[in-house]
Amino acid sequence: MEESIPKIFGKKVFNDKVMKERLPIDIYKSLKRSVKNSRPLDRNTADMVANAMKEWAIENGATHFTHWFQPMTGITAEKHDSFIKPTSNGNVLMDFCGSELIKGEPDASSFPSGGLRATFEARGYTAWDPTSYAFIKDGSLCIPSVFYSYSGEVLDKKTPLLRSIEAVNRQSLRILRLFGNNEVQNTHTTVGAEQEYFLIDKSDYDKRKDLILCGRTLFGAKPIKGQELEDHYYGALKPRVSEFMKDLDVELWKLGIPVKTKHNEVAPAQHELAQIYTETNLATDQNQITMEILKKVARKHGLVCLLHEKPFSGINGSGKHNNWSIQTDRGVNLLEPGDNPRDNMQFLIFLCAVIKGVDEYADLLRVSIASAGNDNRLGAQEAPPAIVSVFVGDEILKILESIEKGEKYVSPDRKKIEIGVNVLPSFPYDTTDRNRTSPFAFTGNKFEFRMVGSNMSISSPNTTLNTIVADELMQFADRLEKSENFELEVGSLLAEVVKKHKKVIFNGNNYSEKWILEAKKRGLNNLPTAVDALSHYLDEKNISLFEKHKILTRKEMVSRWEIQLENYCKVLNIEALTMSDMVKREIYPAAYSYVKSLAEGIKLKLDIGIHILNSESDKVLMNNLKDLCNDLFDNTNKLDNMLCKVDDIKDKMKKARYYQESILPLMIEIRNISDNMELYTPSNYWPYPTYTEILFNI
């Protein structure tokens, strides 16, 4: 590396350090005040900031600018305009003003809107989000922005997230004031995203239509060797992968993304990177950039990065562990036990707010990570099941149960932290083990939401999590602000919460059949598919929650519900059409060709009178393959006929159910037939690279 890491880190980011260097002190302070107080910039400040951004961007090779936003596609969008401004003498100036910085006007008609916008209604607006730093990518100054319609409806994932962050801040401050903390002026949620992904050779990728069109393999027999030897996890990096990761680190560091950890994951060809925790809005933007840079750097190394939740059947899928917490502007983590009784009482308030929120809004958390792709992953190898539960560890569970009973908790030979209320027990430092099967696990000073799929934006799950916790904190503050004896009221409140909501706490094996039965007995929802989850999204309690905190309106929630259902149907439709095409154009002809060669070989042996060369076994193989070919052909025709009926179903939920209950099972059957055929067909006949070739070819 030519330059040291401190010198390259944030090199392409218009961050606070750059702003201090390039903006007049009064303009810098005006900008920071506007951000802190959520107020619009005055025209002079906007123009000065825009000019400084432009000069910095041009010095760093940029020729264009773009409002970089996050529509409901789940990926980012950008429309690029150059800095040039023609002059009367035929030359150009490089110009960028405050109005261009603050507001843009991309076409909104072709983005998903769930009925909020008609196709002929094209007008939409982007507005600069100054809480997230501008950056340079591919020769353009990228300005993080929100996206909304001409009539004011939210069309993106960033706006609800920003609103939810502010909701948590408001309610957290109320709780802190009750504990006598008047110094903290702001709280914010933090996130550290662990990103899993697969790397495969581009030559193998180019031969697989399913990978190109669907991001996952629709066919593929189980490889002879998978992950059963556990030799890939944390194993030594292969040279080609190591070189890729080195380049990836540098590109991400230049963009100010604090990636720290990299390693091989459990499945062959699977890897992971993780970044240091930062404010949720910034972490969300950075994860979107990370997914894009992963793919670009992989291509430079002759590789392809797969971010699908389940690109290969029978081995681990890829998730994105969302490590979430709340922090004050003084750097104090509110989900970490403190060193004095008052702090620990405060910690328990925030801990129980999360537990209560997860119990009451488990359906919303499930919806926030619902997709056709994630359905393939949840409940499989090392991915949590669809039942949302909370892991807190045995120690904390015992403490919570003692609070419920009003008993003092005693932990022998352990350091204890007194909580300060007689009805509450001593609180030891947590030394709890981790639970890799839990969907929502407390890991000492944060909660790890493990259900998020690897290719998903983390906006929706964090918007949901922020909102439900804000609501619980609001309920707590409403009650405690009226109390005459604060400490006794805290004790009563915590005891009530534990008694009513401890049913969502489960520290055992989430994969076990016993847990499914136990969860049902406890009254916990089991929503195994995206369609099951989405059937609850518009429940009145959920609409009320988002409207109460001004995160989304009822109309905006309906639009998101429609978008998710439409996306589910579109994904399965593309997969079904791809599957049919692969069978008819490649798999069936290849297998039939082999059957034909077997028949010709048998005839030749009989013609020349050779009866000892296993002609009978050849006949058995030929007949088995012929039967499989017939089954494959018949089922594929059946799939085609079923797809023809889809357009007649107008109700969005019924259409999604049709895909889930009718088309998807048939697709699984077609795959099973094809995978069985692959096992008996020579590699020179089979039209695609096999799992063994793909997963072990780097």
Side-chain angles (χ1 to χ4, degrees):
M1 190 183 300
E2 294 181 2
E3 296 181 272
S4 66
I5 294 175
K7 285 186 177 180
I8 68 169
F9 190 83
K11 185 177 181 179
K12 296 184 178 181
V13 184
F14 194 75
N15 55 28
D16 199 62
K17 177 185 175 183
V18 177
M19 284 189 273
K20 282 182 178 178
E21 292 173 349
R22 291 179 173 264
L23 294 174
I25 187 64
D26 59 326
I27 297 297
Y28 172 78
K29 289 182 177 179
S30 175
L31 173 61
K32 300 303 283 187
R33 279 195 302 271
S34 296
V35 172
K36 181 179 179 181
N37 299 321
S38 300
R39 293 177 181 171
L41 293 177
D42 62 78
R43 182 57 186 267
N44 180 57
T45 300
D47 283 339
M48 294 289 283
V49 173
N51 186 65
M53 266 192 194
K54 177 203 70 176
E55 295 297 324
W56 169 81
I58 291 172
E59 289 174 20
N60 285 276
T63 57
H64 289 67
F65 68 92
T66 177
H67 275 208
W68 182 81
F69 58 102
Q70 300 172 37
M72 295 302 295
T73 56
I75 57 177
T76 58
E78 48 200 59
K79 177 177 73 102
H80 303 260
D81 292 297
S82 70
F83 288 122
I84 66 169
K85 180 180 180 181
T87 62
S88 57
N89 61 3
N91 292 324
V92 294
L93 297 174
M94 302 298 273
D95 187 58
F96 182 54
C97 64
S99 60
E100 292 173 306
L101 167 64
I102 291 172
K103 189 175 182 180
E105 189 178 332
D107 186 338
S109 64
S110 295
F111 290 107
S113 72
L116 289 178
R117 304 289 289 156
T119 303
F120 64 87
E121 295 174 325
R123 184 160 296 194
Y125 299 106
T126 51
W128 176 36
D129 167 25
T131 64
S132 186
Y133 298 130
F135 56 94
I136 295 172
K137 178 173 68 70
D138 297 330
S140 285
L141 172 67
C142 297
I143 303 161
S145 304
V146 299
F147 182 44
Y148 57 97
S149 73
Y150 176 75
S151 48
E153 290 95 355
V154 176
L155 296 175
D156 70 341
K157 289 178 174 285
K158 177 183 271 280
T159 304
L161 178 65
L162 291 172
R163 292 172 177 174
S164 73
I165 292 169
E166 183 53 36
V168 174
N169 175 52
R170 285 194 301 270
Q171 304 308 328
S172 296
L173 287 177
R174 291 178 67 191
I175 297 294
L176 293 178
R177 298 294 182 258
L178 285 167
F179 280 91
N181 188 331
N182 296 310
E183 295 178 351
V184 172
Q185 298 302 308
N186 177 268
T187 68
H188 54 267
T189 57
T190 62
V191 167
E194 301 173 39
Q195 178 72 57
E196 295 177 340
Y197 60 95
F198 280 82
L199 287 177
I200 66 171
D201 193 276
K202 188 176 182 301
S203 62
D204 290 330
Y205 173 85
D206 289 339
K207 297 171 185 174
R208 301 269 329 200
K209 193 177 298 182
D210 46 5
L211 284 175
I212 294 171
L213 298 178
C214 307
R216 75 178 183 106
T217 53
L218 301 175
F219 300 101
K222 184 178 179 180
I224 297 170
K225 177 190 175 186
Q227 60 191 57
E228 60 273 11
L229 291 180
E230 301 170 338
D231 54 344
H232 191 257
Y233 190 50
Y234 281 23
L237 300 175
K238 295 179 179 179
R240 196 171 171 193
V241 172
S242 179
E243 290 303 311
F244 157 81
M245 288 182 172
K246 288 176 184 177
D247 286 353
L248 177 66
D249 282 342
V250 170
E251 292 304 313
L252 293 177
W253 288 336
K254 287 178 182 177
L255 289 164
I257 300 175
V259 289
K260 186 175 179 68
T261 303
K262 58 184 181 182
H263 61 85
N264 289 341
E265 255 299 335
V266 174
Q270 188 186 35
H271 313 279
E272 180 181 292
L273 65 83
Q275 71 179 67
I276 299 171
Y277 308 101
T278 188
E279 296 183 26
T280 301
N281 182 39
L282 185 57
T284 302
D285 285 357
Q286 290 178 343
N287 186 252
Q288 292 293 113
I289 299 168
T290 297
M291 289 191 285
E292 181 182 337
I293 301 301
L294 273 165
K295 293 180 178 180
K296 286 184 177 180
V297 175
R299 292 277 179 163
K300 291 180 181 179
H301 289 261
L303 303 168
V304 172
C305 176
L306 301 178
L307 293 175
H308 193 281
E309 299 94 333
K310 195 74 172 180
F312 302 102
S313 178
I315 62 174
N316 278 14
S318 293
K320 179 148 42 192
H321 302 163
N322 189 87
N323 295 282
W324 179 95
S325 192
I326 313 176
Q327 188 168 309
T328 73
D329 54 10
R330 300 300 178 100
V332 175
N333 186 337
L334 296 175
L335 283 175
E336 187 165 18
D339 294 325
N340 60 68
R342 197 82 168 171
D343 287 346
N344 290 303
M345 190 191 307
Q346 177 182 288
F347 158 75
L348 285 168
I349 285 288
F350 283 93
L351 179 76
C352 286
V354 178
I355 293 170
K356 181 173 183 285
V358 174
D359 185 30
E360 293 180 336
Y361 295 100
D363 54 346
L364 271 181
L365 285 170
R366 175 68 179 89
V367 168
S368 75
I369 52 84
S371 73
N374 217 15
D375 283 355
N376 295 313
R377 166 182 167 262
L378 294 178
Q381 290 89 345
E382 283 212 355
I387 303 171
V388 179
S389 64
V390 178
F391 169 84
V392 295
D394 294 337
E395 193 81 67
I396 291 181
L397 179 58
K398 291 176 183 176
I399 291 168
L400 294 176
E401 288 175 340
S402 70
I403 291 173
E404 176 191 2
K405 298 172 184 175
E407 300 172 351
K408 198 117 177 127
Y409 176 72
V410 179
S411 178
D413 302 324
R414 295 283 301 282
K415 182 177 180 180
K416 301 176 184 64
I417 307 172
E418 293 296 331
I419 294 176
V421 184
N422 289 333
V423 296
L424 300 180
S426 301
F427 196 96
Y429 285 109
D430 180 54
T431 57
T432 297
D433 197 359
R434 300 180 73 185
N435 187 326
R436 306 296 293 179
T437 70
S438 176
F440 201 86
F442 184 66
T443 56
N445 59 4
K446 62 186 182 299
F447 280 94
E448 184 180 26
F449 190 21
R450 295 172 53 84
M451 298 177 77
V452 186
S454 56
N455 68 352
M456 291 180 170
S457 165
I458 60 174
S459 289
S460 293
N462 283 297
T463 296
T464 302
L465 184 53
N466 290 343
T467 305
I468 65 177
V469 172
D471 192 66
E472 304 303 343
L473 292 174
M474 183 184 73
Q475 293 178 42
F476 289 3
D478 287 346
R479 174 172 169 176
L480 294 174
E481 285 170 351
K482 299 173 184 176
S483 66
E484 296 181 0
N485 188 319
F486 176 69
E487 293 190 354
L488 284 178
E489 191 66 23
V490 168
S492 298
L493 171 62
L494 293 175
E496 290 174 21
V497 170
V498 174
K499 183 176 182 179
K500 186 174 181 180
H501 299 285
K502 68 178 181 181
K503 67 180 185 292
V504 79
I505 298 174
F506 180 65
N507 291 339
N509 180 6
N510 286 256
Y511 291 155
S512 69
E513 292 294 325
K514 290 181 180 179
W515 168 233
I516 296 175
L517 298 175
E518 174 64 22
K520 185 177 181 180
K521 187 186 299 183
R522 294 186 187 188
L524 302 183
N525 280 333
N526 184 1
L527 305 172
T529 72
V531 181
D532 295 320
L534 285 164
S535 67
H536 289 277
Y537 181 58
L538 297 180
D539 288 353
E540 198 58 39
K541 72 175 180 67
N542 297 335
I543 295 174
S544 175
L545 172 74
F546 280 111
E547 287 194 322
K548 183 195 309 181
H549 295 279
K550 298 183 175 9
I551 309 300
L552 292 167
T553 65
R554 181 184 296 267
K555 188 176 180 181
E556 288 165 344
M557 287 186 69
V558 171
S559 75
R560 278 159 168 71
W561 175 77
E562 291 191 3
I563 288 169
Q564 279 192 266
L565 282 176
E566 287 174 355
N567 182 265
Y568 180 89
C569 294
K570 288 175 181 177
V571 167
L572 285 182
N573 191 63
I574 291 169
E575 290 186 351
L577 290 172
T578 303
M579 175 173 273
S580 175
D581 186 77
M582 292 173 72
V583 168
K584 290 184 293 188
R585 294 166 63 92
E586 293 158 323
I587 295 176
Y588 181 84
Y592 182 79
S593 178
Y594 179 50
V595 170
K596 183 179 178 182
S597 71
L598 284 173
E600 290 172 349
I602 293 170
K603 183 177 182 302
L604 178 62
K605 292 175 186 178
L606 293 174
D607 286 346
I608 62 176
I610 301 176
H611 301 286
I612 60 172
L613 294 180
N614 296 321
S615 59
E616 287 303 316
S617 60
D618 285 351
K619 286 181 182 179
V620 171
L621 177 59
M622 180 187 70
N623 289 328
N624 285 342
L625 277 172
K626 185 172 66 175
D627 290 342
L628 288 170
C629 281
N630 290 336
D631 288 345
L632 186 68
F633 185 83
D634 291 343
N635 279 286
T636 302
N637 281 337
K638 184 178 178 183
L639 178 64
D640 291 340
N641 292 331
M642 292 176 70
L643 289 172
C644 290
K645 300 176 183 177
V646 170
D647 289 339
D648 295 332
I649 306 173
K650 302 305 178 184
D651 183 275
K652 291 181 172 60
M653 179 58 74
K654 288 182 179 178
K655 181 181 285 191
R657 283 285 183 200
Y658 181 72
Y659 274 105
Q660 179 227 325
E661 296 176 354
S662 300
I663 290 179
L664 188 57
L666 183 57
M667 290 172 62
I668 293 172
E669 176 63 22
I670 291 171
R671 174 176 188 145
N672 289 337
I673 296 169
S674 174
D675 290 355
N676 197 13
M677 292 167 65
E678 180 187 328
L679 295 174
Y680 294 99
T681 305
S683 58
N684 59 309
Y685 281 90
W686 198 250
Y688 308 116
T690 64
Y691 271 21
T692 299
E693 292 167 329
I694 296 172
L695 295 171
F696 298 94
N697 196 26
I698 296 178

